[in-house]
Amino acid sequence: TWGVWHGNKPVESYRKIEGFVTEFGMQSTPVPMTVRAFADAANRQSVHSPVMRYHELDGSHHGISIIMHYTEGDFGKAPASFDDTLWLTKVNQAWAMRYGVEHWRRDMLWSLAATIWQYNDCWPGSTWAMIDYYRRWKAVLFQSKHFFAPVLVSGLPDAKTGQAGIHVTSDRQHDVSGELRWSVTDLAGHVLREVSKQVDIPARTSRQAETLDLSDLVKVHGAANLLIWPEVVVHGRTLARNTLLFGRPKELKLKQPELAVHSSGGERRFDVVIETDVPALWVWANVKDTNAEYSDNFIDLRKGRAGEIQVTLE
């Protein structure tokens, strides 16, 4: 299905599709370190520079324009910084692929599989790849570990009604029981509502586990000022968590976070702990000009809850 990308349809159109989607995708630019391998300083002033346009998948010179059309449509005006724009295109790619996969997983049994186009690259450029030519992971590959995980918690917030259905999906072969926890915060991180309940999670099943009526919070705070944080805990271990929005990311008026970063470890391996004073979405670690492996990346951080990333230098 290429209505998104080739057909210029918004990512919301994925929710009108059922079945085994064997090919779908969203392009993004490579990471800044990869771009510096093929573009000189003059061609790193804009993503629309001649060299950036040449390093598109098919040389059509339309790829960058389509990337920016979707990125700005979902996340708003591109940053002034060239490197920040590169990063944002990868966040948008992850957002689009997550949007589709979460829908199809909720749609079980009508939809039972999805294959993202594409995994890797044959040269360094702007493509649909999840990992670039130098095997540097893009945001979508990190996030796919969560939206393709055996147990998924996802949701369908509706800004018009203030309702939000919370779904729990399991591809496991055995039934389990656990706890569904969810909280609602404003964009300053204040907890406005918090609930937990026991849930059964049948094998190979997706079902709506809870319907939230947040119409009163939407009326007071506005849908664009709310975040829903669901998670599934089994035997004390968090198997799945998510961050749900009432609209597109660009509609959020996120506050500038102050991140506190603490690292420990030695020579090659580091444990990085990140804390924030307000909700911070799509936070990533990056070791400048150095190849490294990251246990996770592009994570959502809540006020009062630290995120952890293990970094191993190559």
Side-chain angles (χ1 to χ4, degrees), residues 30-263:
V31 301
M33 186 175 174
T34 294
V35 171
R36 287 194 291 273
F38 65 79
D40 61 13
N43 279 283
R44 296 199 305 272
Q45 301 302 309
S46 168
V47 292
H48 297 283
S49 71
V51 169
M52 289 297 295
R53 293 178 66 186
Y54 183 80
H55 278 257
E56 294 177 359
L57 185 65
D58 56 7
S60 68
H61 306 317
H62 297 302
I64 290 289
S65 295
I66 299 174
I67 289 172
M68 296 313 302
H69 165 75
Y70 277 103
T71 299
E72 294 186 338
D74 291 334
F75 285 86
K77 185 178 179 181
S81 161
F82 176 78
D83 281 6
D84 285 349
T85 301
L86 298 183
W87 288 115
L88 187 60
T89 69
K90 281 173 281 298
V91 171
N92 180 68
Q93 180 187 33
W95 163 259
M97 297 300 90
R98 168 187 154 193
Y99 201 101
V101 172
E102 287 186 350
H103 160 66
W104 293 311
R105 294 196 64 188
R106 283 191 298 269
D107 196 43
M108 185 190 293
L109 293 164
W110 295 105
S111 303
L112 284 169
T115 305
I116 294 175
W117 181 271
Q118 65 199 65
Y119 174 66
N120 59 357
D121 268 339
C122 63
W123 81 318
S126 299
T127 74
W128 293 283
M130 303 169 75
I131 183 171
D132 76 18
Y133 177 75
Y134 294 106
R135 301 180 182 177
R136 294 166 185 148
W137 287 32
K138 296 184 181 181
V140 62
L141 192 52
F142 288 106
Q143 294 212 342
S144 70
K145 296 197 298 181
H146 301 286
F147 60 67
F148 273 130
V151 176
L152 170 74
V153 61
S154 63
L156 295 169
D158 185 335
K160 293 182 179 179
T161 65
Q163 307 287 310
I166 305 297
H167 293 248
V168 177
T169 305
S170 176
D171 278 320
R172 288 187 157 192
Q173 300 299 317
H174 304 286
D175 300 347
V176 296
S177 296
E179 188 179 10
L180 173 63
R181 303 173 182 172
W182 60 268
S183 61
V184 182
T185 71
D186 61 18
L187 299 189
H190 301 128
V191 177
L192 306 175
R193 192 160 296 166
E194 196 164 39
V195 176
S196 65
K197 61 178 285 189
Q198 293 298 122
V199 290
D200 294 325
I201 307 173
R204 299 190 59 73
T205 300
S206 181
R207 61 185 184 180
Q208 186 164 318
E210 185 74 289
T211 301
L212 314 185
D213 183 358
L214 307 176
S215 55
D216 56 331
L217 297 182
V218 170
K219 184 177 180 179
V220 173
H221 300 275
N225 194 43
L226 297 175
L227 295 170
I228 306 171
W229 309 82
E231 60 182 350
V232 173
V233 179
V234 176
H235 301 310
R237 178 187 169 208
T238 300
L239 293 188
R241 59 166 54 99
N242 212 329
T243 310
L244 307 182
L245 322 179
F246 274 102
R248 294 186 181 185
K250 69 178 182 181
E251 296 168 11
L252 296 174
K253 305 302 181 184
L254 293 170
K255 301 180 183 299
Q256 182 66 38
E258 289 192 13
L259 301 180
V261 182
H262 312 279
S263 64

